[in-house]
């Protein structure tokens, strides 16, 4: 390929001559548009939205407006029912003071002491049922005091209540003496000691064994 101006040999694809600077770009073909009277241009208008869509949009808009209006009405009503902040603070303070006062009243109230159990009164006169032991031997004694005279029975637990010994004696103030008689009627010993209507304690003297044993009996 050569330059059309200076006939300089050019490389393939060159756009300008390196020697004279003339453009060697091939001219682009010129396109022409032929007009044809027989061609008709048809205009197609865009489809319009149906009236049903418009009605639907109208209903939706009405519902949205109704919901907004209802929300505004409920907000205004609830705001009107609420107490002012000052009233709420005063009411809360009053409730706190009332609760504190009630707590103080409960704390200040003295705790009632439990009622003492009724005490049993004991008198020397009358019927007495006592239980205890002569030394290590458990016994149960039942006596009746009338004035200065005392009578009754007792039995050893090891021998059973059917095998009873008889006692008979007197009391002078709180000092009581009871003679012991076996079922055969033999006088086998005697009790002597203090009796206060509740307990009887002292010494038991056994005639046959010639021994003295401590005893203590308590009302049951």
């Amino acid at each position: 390929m050569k330059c059309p101006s200076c006939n300089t040999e050019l490389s393939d694809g060159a756009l300008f001559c390196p020697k004279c600077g003339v453009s060697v770009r091939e001219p682009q073909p010129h396109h022409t548009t032929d007009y044809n009277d027989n061609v008709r241009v048809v205009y197609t208008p865009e489809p319009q939205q149906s009236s049903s869509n418009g009605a639907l949009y109208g209903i939706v808009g009405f519902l949205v407006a109704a919901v907004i209006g209802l929300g505004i009405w409920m907000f205004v009503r609830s705001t009107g029912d609420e107490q002012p902040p000052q009233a709420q603070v005063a009411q809360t303070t009053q409730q706190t003071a009332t609760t504190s006062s009630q707590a103080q009243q409960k704390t200040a109230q003295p705790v009632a002491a439990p009622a003492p159990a009724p005490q049993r009164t004991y008198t020397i006169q009358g019927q007495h049922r006592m239980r205890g032991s002569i030394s290590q031997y458990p016994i149960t004694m039942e006596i009746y005091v009338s004035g200065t005279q005392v009578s009754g029975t007792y039995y050893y637990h090891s021998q059973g209540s059917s095998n009873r010994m008889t006692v008979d004696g007197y009391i002078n103030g709180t000092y009581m003496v009871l003679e012991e008689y076996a079922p055969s009627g033999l006088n086998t010993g005697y009790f002597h000691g203090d009796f206060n209507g509740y307990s009887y304690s002292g010494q038991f003297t056994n005639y046959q064994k010639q021994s003295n044993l401590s005893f203590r009996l308590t009302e049951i």
Side-chain angles (χ1 to χ4, degrees):
M1 180 178 177
K2 294 182 178 182
C3 176
S5 174
C6 63
N7 291 323
T8 301
E9 193 71 29
L10 302 177
S11 62
D12 295 339
L15 301 179
F16 299 93
C17 176
K19 185 176 181 180
C20 63
V22 175
S23 174
V24 294
R25 184 174 49 185
E26 296 181 359
Q28 298 295 327
H30 179 71
H31 298 281
T32 59
T33 303
D34 297 332
Y35 180 79
N36 191 349
D37 293 338
N38 294 326
V39 178
R40 298 180 61 188
V41 178
V42 179
Y43 171 74
T44 304
E46 295 181 359
Q48 298 181 356
Q49 295 180 351
S50 62
S51 59
S52 60
N53 292 338
L56 179 60
Y57 293 154
I59 294 173
V60 172
F62 174 76
L63 292 177
V64 171
V67 171
I68 295 174
L70 179 61
I72 295 174
W73 176 79
M74 293 180 66
F75 175 77
V76 173
R77 181 178 180 182
S78 62
T79 303
D81 293 339
E82 292 180 354
Q83 296 180 355
Q86 295 83 357
Q88 292 180 355
V89 172
Q91 183 178 2
T92 303
T93 304
Q94 183 178 3
Q95 292 176 353
T96 303
T98 302
T99 304
S100 177
S101 177
Q102 292 176 353
Q104 292 178 358
Q105 291 178 0
K106 291 181 179 179
T107 304
Q109 291 179 356
V111 178
Q119 296 183 356
R120 182 178 176 183
T121 58
Y122 298 94
T123 61
I124 293 178
Q125 299 295 314
Q127 185 77 28
H128 297 277
R129 188 167 187 263
M130 298 175 289
R131 181 172 295 166
S133 63
I134 301 174
S135 185
Q136 72 271 22
Y137 307 107
I139 67 170
T140 296
M141 179 181 289
E142 296 176 355
I143 60 175
Y144 184 79
V145 180
S146 177
T148 60
Q149 301 299 312
V150 184
S151 61
T153 62
Y154 83 92
Y155 63 91
Y156 289 89
H157 292 180
S158 60
Q159 298 179 6
S161 60
S162 60
N163 190 9
R164 290 176 177 265
M165 309 290 282
T166 302
V167 291
D168 186 45
Y170 66 93
I171 185 169
N172 183 10
T174 60
Y175 182 73
M176 186 165 64
V177 177
L178 298 176
E179 295 286 346
E180 177 194 73
Y181 296 91
S184 61
L186 181 64
N187 185 200
T188 54
Y190 73 101
F191 296 85
H192 55 99
D194 293 327
F195 176 62
N196 57 12
Y198 173 73
S199 64
Y200 184 31
S201 60
Q203 295 288 321
F204 173 73
T205 301
N206 190 309
Y207 291 148
Q208 295 179 349
K209 296 181 180 180
Q210 296 182 355
S211 61
N212 292 320
L213 301 175
S214 298
F215 75 88
R216 179 175 179 81
L217 306 174
T218 305
E219 190 86 8
I220 58 175

